[in-house]
Amino acid sequence: QAPLVESGGGLVQAGDSLRLSCAASGRTFSSYAAGWFRQAPGKEREFVAAISRSGVNTYYADSMKGRFTISRDNAKNTVYLQMNSLKPEDTAVYYCAGGGRSSKAFSPLEYAYWGQGTQVIVSS
């Protein structure tokens, strides 16, 4: 396990793109699946995407498919979330999670540790 640090959030307009990064400080991060979750104001935390430790297998929530892409660069101990065609309903705090059981780990309970989150705000 290693601490995670998310970056890349910000304030954008509808239709814009953002690329979030999740950087880990230790070697163990690349040995497990990783995921992205988000939590909007007044809503429960929801699954966004997950990726296997090799980066070969990826899974997305249905509402994210076609717009969001998860990837990882294990040489840099970093996971990314490319977000395109952003909508106001994408506004949320986005959290990176490490130590996942598999790339089909859709519950927060299936991850061992988390970053502090990065805020994404999409205006109309």
Side-chain angles (χ1 to χ4, degrees):
Q1 301 185 97
L4 304 178
V5 179
E6 301 101 329
S7 62
L11 175 62
V12 298
Q13 298 183 74
D16 285 353
S17 297
L18 281 174
R19 191 190 196 195
L20 306 183
S21 297
C22 173
S25 60
R27 294 173 57 193
T28 58
F29 181 64
S30 62
S31 298
Y32 299 89
W36 287 95
F37 291 75
R38 70 184 186 186
Q39 188 163 18
K43 298 182 179 179
E44 296 182 352
R45 185 170 299 190
E46 67 173 331
F47 171 76
V48 174
I51 188 167
S52 64
R53 69 181 191 179
S54 68
V56 172
N57 299 314
T58 59
Y59 295 90
Y60 302 89
D62 287 342
S63 61
M64 318 301 171
K65 288 184 177 180
R67 297 192 301 124
F68 291 8
T69 303
I70 188 171
S71 62
R72 72 191 306 168
D73 184 344
N74 285 339
K76 297 181 179 179
N77 256 14
T78 302
V79 171
Y80 305 96
L81 183 68
Q82 178 68 44
M83 304 186 294
N84 298 326
S85 301
L86 284 165
K87 306 173 182 179
E89 52 262 45
D90 294 319
T91 295
V93 176
Y94 284 73
Y95 297 92
C96 179
R101 285 165 39 85
S102 75
S103 58
K104 290 188 176 181
F106 307 139
S107 169
L109 296 177
E110 296 180 271
Y111 295 87
Y113 52 94
W114 298 75
Q116 81 289 345
T118 185
Q119 177 74 62
V120 173
I121 300 175
V122 184
S123 63
S124 299

